[in-house]
Amino acid sequence: MTPYLIFVLKRFGQFLLVVFLGVTITFFVTHLTPIDPVEESIGAITQMGQSDPNAIELMRQSLRELYGMQGSIWQQYLNFWLRLATGDLGPSLSAFPTPVSTIILRSLPWTIGLMTVSTLITFVLGNAIGALAGYYRKDMVLKAVSLVFIALLPIPYYILAFVLLIVFGFIWPVLPINGGYEMNANLDLSFALVLDILKHSILPALSLILVGAGSWLIGMRALVSNIITDDYVVFAELGGVPKGKILRSYIARNAMVPQFTGLAMSLGAIFNGTVITEIVFGYPGIGNLLIEAVHAGDYSLVLGLSALSIVGVAAAVFIIDVLSPLIDPRIKVE
C-alpha cells in the first residue's frame, strides 16, 4: 500500500470521527432542551377543542414512535443513527407530515446559489486587489481601494445588510429587499424568473462580498509582500521580465496555494448558511430555516440541518488534506 493511500485512509478515518462526534453532540444538545415537541403538538391540538383522553394518549404514543422519541435517550440515539444511515430523517415536527429531507431540499439550492456565487466573487475580488496592492505598493489608487475594503472588514455583515436595505430599499428603491422572488411570480423556469431571482439576491450577496473581500485582500497582500523578496522574483526583475508576467506567473501562482485552502473551507461552510443575512432580507435559505426550526422545537429539522452542515465542513477539510500534497509539491506525505 502506497504512503499516499495510507495518508488518504487516515484522513478519511478522521473525517468519519469528526462527523460522528459533531452529529452526536448536536443530538444530545437538542434532546436535552426543555422543549418537548410532542407535547407542544398535542397542546396546540387540544387548544382547538376538548379531546378524549384516550385519543390524546394514543396520539402521544403515535407521535413519539413516528418521531423516534420512544424509550430512553440512548435508544433514541441508536434509532437516530439507524434512520440516518438509510437517509431517513423522519417527518418535520413543525410541518407534519412533510419529510425533513424535502424541506431541506427546498431551501438548500437558495443557500448554495447565494453562498457559492458570493464566496467566489469575494475570493477573486479580494485576491486580485491584494496581489496588485502587494506588488505595486506605491500605487495610490490601490492603497485607497484596499483601505476601503479593510475598513469594511470589522463591520458585522448584518449591520452592512441593514445599511444596504435602507439605502436601496427606501432611500433609493431600485432593488428588492425581501424574499427570493416576487410574490405571485410564475415559478416555471424562464428568463424572467431567473432575472427576478438574481435581482433578489443582489443585496444579500453584496453584504457578504463587501465585508468578506477584506480578509482575502489582507492575506494575499501579505503573501505577495513576502514572495517579492525571494531570489527568483528578484532575478526575474533584473532579467527584464515584464512586471505583469512576474505577478501572474511567479508571484500570484505561489501565493494562491494557501488561499485555495481557505476557499475550500469557505465552500464547505456554505451549508451553514448566513443566518442573519437571510433573516434580514427574508431569503428562503437554510439559515432562515434553521432559526424557524429552533423556535418551533423541531428536533428532526434541526438535526438534519446540523448534520448537513457538519458533513459539508468536514468533507471540505478532508478534500483539502487529500489534495494538498498533489497541489503543492512542498507538502510531503508522512
Side-chain angles (χ1 to χ4, degrees), residues 183-206:
M183 293 182 62
N184 302 320
N186 184 1
L187 299 183
D188 294 334
L189 184 61
S190 62
F191 178 76
L193 177 62
V194 172
L195 185 61
D196 189 25
I197 291 174
L198 289 176
K199 287 175 60 178
H200 280 77
S201 66
I202 289 175
L203 289 182
L206 193 59

Side-chain angles (χ1 to χ4, degrees), residues 134-212:
Y135 190 59
Y136 301 103
R137 288 174 290 182
K138 296 182 180 180
D139 191 291
M140 298 305 298
V141 175
L142 289 172
K143 284 184 177 181
V145 173
S146 300
L147 182 62
V148 171
F149 280 106
I150 293 172
L152 291 173
L153 182 59
I155 301 175
Y157 61 86
Y158 54 88
I159 298 297
L160 185 59
F162 278 117
V163 173
L164 293 175
L165 187 149
I166 293 171
V167 171
F168 293 103
F170 298 97
I171 298 177
W172 187 32
V174 294
L175 292 172
I177 60 174
N178 186 65
Y181 49 84
E182 290 292 339
M183 293 182 62
N184 302 320
N186 184 1
L187 299 183
D188 294 334
L189 184 61
S190 62
F191 178 76
L193 177 62
V194 172
L195 185 61
D196 189 25
I197 291 174
L198 289 176
K199 287 175 60 178
H200 280 77
S201 66
I202 289 175
L203 289 182
L206 193 59
S207 67
L208 299 172
I209 292 168
L210 292 177
V211 173

Side-chain angles (χ1 to χ4, degrees), residues 64-81:
R64 290 195 175 278
E65 180 179 359
L66 183 63
Y67 296 140
M69 298 179 64
Q70 283 185 320
S72 67
I73 191 170
W74 296 107
Q75 290 174 320
Q76 296 178 37
Y77 175 68
L78 178 60
N79 291 332
F80 167 73
W81 275 109

Side-chain angles (χ1 to χ4, degrees), residues 2-308:
T2 64
Y4 182 72
L5 183 57
I6 295 173
F7 169 77
V8 171
L9 292 176
K10 287 181 179 179
R11 289 296 182 267
F12 184 69
Q14 292 176 357
F15 163 74
L16 295 178
L17 180 61
V18 169
V19 171
F20 173 76
L21 292 177
V23 174
T24 296
I25 292 171
T26 305
F27 175 87
F28 283 105
V29 168
T30 55
H31 281 68
L32 291 176
T33 58
I35 300 175
D36 188 332
V38 172
E39 296 302 326
E40 292 281 336
S41 300
I42 292 176
I45 294 172
T46 54
Q47 285 179 358
M48 300 178 184
Q50 297 295 329
S51 299
D52 180 56
N54 293 328
I56 291 176
E57 185 59 30
L58 289 173
M59 184 186 303
R60 180 179 288 110
Q61 294 177 5
S62 299
L63 288 175
R64 290 195 175 278
E65 180 179 359
L66 183 63
Y67 296 140
M69 298 179 64
Q70 283 185 320
S72 67
I73 191 170
W74 296 107
Q75 290 174 320
Q76 296 178 37
Y77 175 68
L78 178 60
N79 291 332
F80 167 73
W81 275 109
L82 291 174
R83 296 173 67 172
L84 187 63
T86 62
D88 179 18
L89 298 173
S92 167
L93 288 92
S94 58
F96 182 83
T98 308
V100 167
S101 56
T102 300
I103 297 177
I104 293 177
L105 288 176
R106 289 175 185 168
S107 300
L108 188 59
W110 295 96
T111 293
I112 289 179
L114 173 65
M115 292 295 294
T116 301
V117 173
S118 61
T119 299
L120 292 177
I121 292 175
T122 303
F123 176 80
V124 173
L125 181 64
N127 281 293
I129 298 174
L132 292 170
Y135 190 59
Y136 301 103
R137 288 174 290 182
K138 296 182 180 180
D139 191 291
M140 298 305 298
V141 175
L142 289 172
K143 284 184 177 181
V145 173
S146 300
L147 182 62
V148 171
F149 280 106
I150 293 172
L152 291 173
L153 182 59
I155 301 175
Y157 61 86
Y158 54 88
I159 298 297
L160 185 59
F162 278 117
V163 173
L164 293 175
L165 187 149
I166 293 171
V167 171
F168 293 103
F170 298 97
I171 298 177
W172 187 32
V174 294
L175 292 172
I177 60 174
N178 186 65
Y181 49 84
E182 290 292 339
M183 293 182 62
N184 302 320
N186 184 1
L187 299 183
D188 294 334
L189 184 61
S190 62
F191 178 76
L193 177 62
V194 172
L195 185 61
D196 189 25
I197 291 174
L198 289 176
K199 287 175 60 178
H200 280 77
S201 66
I202 289 175
L203 289 182
L206 193 59
S207 67
L208 299 172
I209 292 168
L210 292 177
V211 173
S215 60
W216 293 112
L217 188 156
I218 293 174
M220 189 63 171
R221 188 176 64 180
L223 290 167
V224 170
S225 298
N226 289 329
I227 292 174
I228 59 176
T229 59
D230 289 346
D231 292 341
Y232 65 90
V233 176
V234 176
F235 290 153
E237 291 177 339
L238 293 175
V241 179
K243 287 183 175 293
K245 184 176 182 180
I246 293 175
L247 179 59
R248 291 192 308 271
S249 303
Y250 291 79
I251 298 176
R253 179 175 294 181
N254 290 324
M256 286 301 294
V257 173
Q259 295 296 82
F260 276 121
T261 301
L263 175 62
M265 290 290 293
S266 299
L267 291 176
I270 65 175
F271 297 100
N272 296 333
T274 50
V275 177
I276 301 179
T277 297
E278 290 182 4
I279 291 175
V280 170
F281 294 104
Y283 202 76
I286 59 175
N288 207 350
L289 183 63
L290 177 60
I291 295 299
E292 294 177 357
V294 171
H295 285 306
D298 194 335
Y299 288 174
S300 301
L301 189 51
V302 171
L303 281 171
L305 291 169
S306 301
L308 177 68

Side-chain angles (χ1 to χ4, degrees), residues 4 7-8 11-12 317-326:
Y4 182 72
F7 169 77
V8 171
R11 289 296 182 267
F12 184 69
V317 174
F318 170 70
I319 293 171
I320 292 169
D321 284 342
V322 170
L323 294 181
S324 292
L326 303 178

